[in-house]
Amino acid sequence: MKKNKVEKDTWAIVTGASKGIGYAFCVYLLERGWNIVAVARNTDSINDLAKNFPNQVVLKLNLDLSDLDSCDKIAEETKNLKVSLLINNAGYGVLGNFRESSLEREMNMIDLNIKSLHKLTKIFVNRFQENNFGRIINISSVAAFLPGPGFASYYASKSYVLNLGIAVNHELKSQNSKVRLVTVCPGPINTGFWDRSRDNKSVSGQAKEEQSKALRNFARKSLNKSLKANNKDYFIIGINNIFLNKLLKFVPKKWAMKVVYRYNRKKNK
Ligand SMILES: NC(=O)c1ccc[n+]([C@@H]2O[C@H](COP(=O)([O-])OP(=O)(O)OC[C@H]3O[C@@H](n4cnc5c(N)ncnc54)[C@H](OP(=O)(O)O)[C@@H]3O)[C@@H](O)[C@H]2O)c1
């Protein structure tokens, strides 16, 4: 077995697998021969996908990850499987000015984006370390790199994901572990994420054939990079996003936040 390469005949756990980015990850992994544990509150959309890959196993777990006991259930349900990849992808945001946005939704978002991701990362980094093998991919966002007026708690939650990931991966590398935690930072992609972040109840999502080329490209690029990474702690995906992120370093934060605030207010219409 090659150093730090993940075997393909093992299992990958994907949270937020029922639509959007998570569904695209599942398609990509199945095409490459992985077995999948698909986690979401409602995994019905995964049924057809499973039929298309008769040689692999797709295990569906209907769990609400904002309930932290769900993390223990994932650990329990997968304890006899040879899991070597965990993708912490489930997440959403709460658009709006901080004074007006719903505290209840923000607390639920923090439970999902931060606490459950933290708990699953802890459980699986320890499990992987027992065999000195395995990889965690945490999905953050380009929003992690600056404060986000108009979407404040979401941006802050993604900063947590990025900084936790960079620090833990540094520890792993310093301890000569072969386990890796790679953080992926997508830019805006057209998925059900935006409707949910506006608290639009008629969220359609993008499973199956609706999946855009952009989404498939994103899944391919981000997984290819993250599965091979040895030294890199995080990836920003997409030339425009990489360029914008570099540009941000030269722009006064006050200006950048003005642009971000305008962008987020538009997104909330
Ligand atoms: N789309 C973007 O522009 C963008 C940009 C940067 C980063 N991201 C990040 O990418 C990740 C995926 O977003 P997406 O765009 O694919 O959004 P999406 O299309 O809304 O999909 C979100 C996924 O998470 C699941 N999920 C939501 N709440 C959950 C809960 N409480 N428990 C378990 N599963 C839950 C959803 O399934 P159920 O509804 O069935 O539970 C769904 O499978 C998120 O972490 C998001 O912050 C997205």
Side-chain angles (χ1 to χ4, degrees):
M1 194 193 321
K2 271 192 166 177
K3 204 175 141 203
N4 286 330
K5 287 260 164 72
V6 177
E7 281 178 313
K8 282 186 184 168
D9 61 347
T10 56
W11 288 78
I13 302 172
V14 181
T15 74
S18 63
K19 50 191 177 237
I21 293 171
Y23 188 92
F25 283 154
C26 290
V27 174
Y28 187 80
L29 289 168
L30 284 164
E31 281 170 356
R32 266 138 204 89
W34 290 77
N35 300 311
I36 300 277
V37 180
V39 186
R41 290 169 302 173
N42 181 347
T43 57
D44 286 354
S45 62
I46 298 292
N47 292 342
D48 288 349
L49 187 57
K51 280 184 210 147
N52 294 339
F53 296 92
N55 296 329
Q56 281 113 274
V57 188
V58 178
L59 179 68
K60 297 184 298 158
L61 296 180
N62 286 337
L63 292 169
D64 184 341
L65 285 168
S66 61
D67 172 355
L68 295 186
D69 290 343
S70 298
C71 303
D72 301 314
K73 287 184 190 142
I74 294 175
E76 179 61 26
E77 293 287 337
T78 61
K79 70 174 187 231
N80 296 321
L81 303 178
K82 203 173 161 199
V83 176
S84 59
L85 176 64
L86 164 68
I87 306 183
N88 278 312
N89 162 73
Y92 74 101
V94 181
L95 274 161
N97 287 321
F98 188 75
R99 281 178 49 229
E100 292 125 32
S101 51
S102 154
L103 180 62
E104 195 190 338
R105 292 185 65 230
E106 283 164 350
M107 291 294 121
N108 183 269
M109 185 208 73
I110 288 167
D111 286 341
L112 178 66
N113 293 13
I114 296 181
K115 290 191 186 174
S116 83
L117 175 139
H118 181 116
K119 188 168 175 182
L120 282 171
T121 300
K122 175 82 86 185
I123 292 170
F124 280 91
V125 88
N126 281 323
R127 195 201 277 191
F128 290 162
Q129 192 52 50
E130 282 168 20
N131 299 318
N132 199 14
F133 185 76
R135 192 163 287 248
I136 299 172
I137 301 174
N138 283 348
I139 306 303
S140 175
S141 167
V142 290
F145 294 93
L146 81 172
F151 211 0
S153 51
Y154 175 72
Y155 276 51
S157 76
K158 291 299 177 180
S159 292
Y160 183 91
V161 174
L162 177 65
N163 285 311
L164 178 82
I166 293 173
V168 174
N169 205 37
H170 181 88
E171 290 175 7
L172 291 167
K173 289 185 288 187
S174 303
Q175 293 160 356
N176 291 323
S177 169
K178 287 181 185 152
V179 178
R180 288 290 176 271
L181 196 177
V182 182
T183 306
V184 170
C185 301
I189 309 177
N190 192 16
T191 66
F193 168 85
W194 294 100
D195 275 342
R196 180 136 191 236
S197 297
R198 285 182 209 106
D199 200 18
N200 185 342
K201 299 285 187 295
S202 61
V203 175
S204 57
Q206 285 194 316
K208 303 187 245 180
E209 63 281 351
E210 285 170 58
Q211 288 231 314
S212 65
K213 204 174 156 199
L215 210 44
R216 288 199 302 272
N217 280 341
F218 170 80
R220 178 179 51 78
K221 271 189 202 157
S222 54
L223 288 189
N224 275 344
K225 282 172 181 264
S226 306
L227 290 172
K228 283 187 205 138
N230 191 27
N231 280 317
K232 287 272 275 183
D233 298 319
Y234 69 91
F235 292 100
I236 299 171
I237 308 297
I239 303 271
N240 291 347
N241 297 321
I242 293 169
F243 173 74
L244 273 176
N245 196 263
K246 286 212 189 310
L247 192 70
L248 267 179
K249 295 193 174 99
F250 302 100
V251 175
K253 209 174 239 180
K254 239 182 3 193
W255 292 4
M257 279 201 288
K258 272 189 184 172
V259 176
V260 167
Y261 192 28
R262 203 174 306 138
Y263 177 83
N264 286 335
R265 273 186 304 185
K266 256 195 197 161
K267 282 286 186 192
N268 199 20
K269 280 183 183 147

